[in-house]
Amino acid sequence: GGGDAAAAAPERGRFLAGAPPDASPSASSDDAGGDRALYAELLEEALERAPRAFSARLMVRALSVAASAHAGQVRRSGEPVVRHALETALVLAGQGLDDAVVAAGLLHDTLDDTMMTEDTLREMFPADVVDMVVGVSRMSLISQLHRDSAVLDSQGSDRFKAMLFAMADVRVVLIKLADRLHNMRTLEHLPAAKQRGMARETLHVFAPLANRLGIWNVKAELEDLCFKYLEPEQYEQLKSGVNNERNLGLLLQALDALNQRLDARGLKCRDLLGRPKHLYGIFGKMQAKGVGLDEIYDACALRVIVDSEEECYAVLEEVHAQWEPLSQKTKDYIASPKANGYQS
Ligand code: MN
């Protein structure tokens, strides 16, 4: 919203869900057919990617209304704007949020970027859903003012951040984060100056917000995307230093070794995963310590998910039996969680 979508000028919405108040001129009937085909295609895809959420009637109606409201609108990437609405909603569905939030995600740009009005939304959707859409719209406006203010000073960012942290309905913040995540994923299509403004605001406001809310995968992805646009050379350099075949080979070996140990001990884990850590986190450590990548010990990580604290410590024992612990670097976040609530 508020220009995030980089949409073409809003045009008259055509509603599939109810008869349009005035019939579209016949000249645009081809367009309407195309819009319906697009809607059908998106619904099919949504049912595949988030079957539970999109089996709800509320979601089908929200997608239909979003498709009609954004009909004919195209982003700079050439993708229809309604695709952005759907991707935002799918991020929320992926986080296991309830139907009202996902539906509000589908509708989140309709007030800012189309002819849709709050009153019309209220005739079609539960108050809870519309209240969230209104909240996102308000937040988008402030975000736009914030980006447009001549300098993105840290004071302005702090004020903006404080305001978001104080938002009464945290679900509105979650929708805005999902919206921003998809906008950052598709940032390559914006002009360079806009990319930097968006990346700076995301890094200083939205990534800390995701961190505070405990959505660490979103925080990590946002930071890496910002890093890529703000420090392209350092990003590429670090990426090839961390995400290379040698490291991936070592990770696979480590996974194998740990898996065998856990099996031998009869420990069942829900998930065992090896991955390079997110680049911006590594970069931050290098900066803070003034060291190179070769002195970063946790550029790659293994993650084991088990059911209980007891099993957690049992896994840790196996890890320490397999690899010698560095006494200075061993931290127990099970007993002493981080300030942001992270505990493992
Ligand atoms: Mn949006």
Side-chain angles (χ1 to χ4, degrees), residues 1-5 75 81 84-85 88 105 108-109 113 136 140 175-176 178-180 182-183:
D4 283 8
R75 303 184 108 205
V81 168
H84 163 69
T88 300
H108 81 272
D109 275 331
D113 299 338
V136 173
S140 299
I175 296 168
K176 192 64 203 164
D179 166 58
R180 179 54 59 97
H182 184 246
N183 281 330

Side-chain angles (χ1 to χ4, degrees), residues 56-86:
R57 283 179 62 187
L58 169 67
M59 222 60 74
V60 176
R61 195 187 324 148
L63 180 58
S64 165
V65 169
S68 304
H70 291 294
Q73 294 181 350
V74 180
R75 303 184 108 205
R76 275 172 203 266
S77 61
E79 293 247 86
V81 168
V82 64
R83 150 87 43 200
H84 163 69
L86 176 59

Side-chain angles (χ1 to χ4, degrees), residues 83-104:
R83 150 87 43 200
H84 163 69
L86 176 59
E87 294 296 340
T88 300
L90 286 170
V91 168
L92 296 163
Q95 291 169 350
L97 293 163
D98 67 31
D99 289 352
V101 184
V102 180

Side-chain angles (χ1 to χ4, degrees), residues 18-167:
D22 44 6
S24 314
S26 56
S28 70
S29 63
D30 281 355
D31 274 4
D35 294 334
R36 260 193 300 277
L38 172 64
Y39 160 72
E41 182 192 316
L42 291 179
L43 179 58
E44 193 181 289
E45 190 185 327
L47 275 165
E48 219 162 84
R49 289 170 64 188
R52 202 210 49 75
F54 277 85
S55 59
R57 283 179 62 187
L58 169 67
M59 222 60 74
V60 176
R61 195 187 324 148
L63 180 58
S64 165
V65 169
S68 304
H70 291 294
Q73 294 181 350
V74 180
R75 303 184 108 205
R76 275 172 203 266
S77 61
E79 293 247 86
V81 168
V82 64
R83 150 87 43 200
H84 163 69
L86 176 59
E87 294 296 340
T88 300
L90 286 170
V91 168
L92 296 163
Q95 291 169 350
L97 293 163
D98 67 31
D99 289 352
V101 184
V102 180
L106 282 167
L107 298 166
H108 81 272
D109 275 331
T110 56
L111 289 181
D112 287 341
D113 299 338
T114 80
M115 302 295 284
M116 178 60 73
T117 65
E118 185 181 336
D119 286 346
T120 308
L121 279 184
R122 291 207 181 276
E123 286 166 19
M124 295 187 282
F125 294 100
D128 193 31
V129 172
V130 183
D131 290 346
M132 282 188 265
V133 176
V134 171
V136 173
S137 167
R138 230 169 252 158
M139 197 191 285
S140 299
L141 176 69
I142 294 164
S143 167
Q144 185 68 54
L145 292 173
H146 175 240
R147 277 200 306 282
D148 288 349
S149 65
V151 275
L152 257 177
D153 58 19
S154 62
Q155 258 195 351
S157 283
D158 285 348
R159 273 199 306 276
F160 183 42
K161 200 158 71 181
M163 202 206 80
L164 293 184
F165 274 58
M167 286 281 304

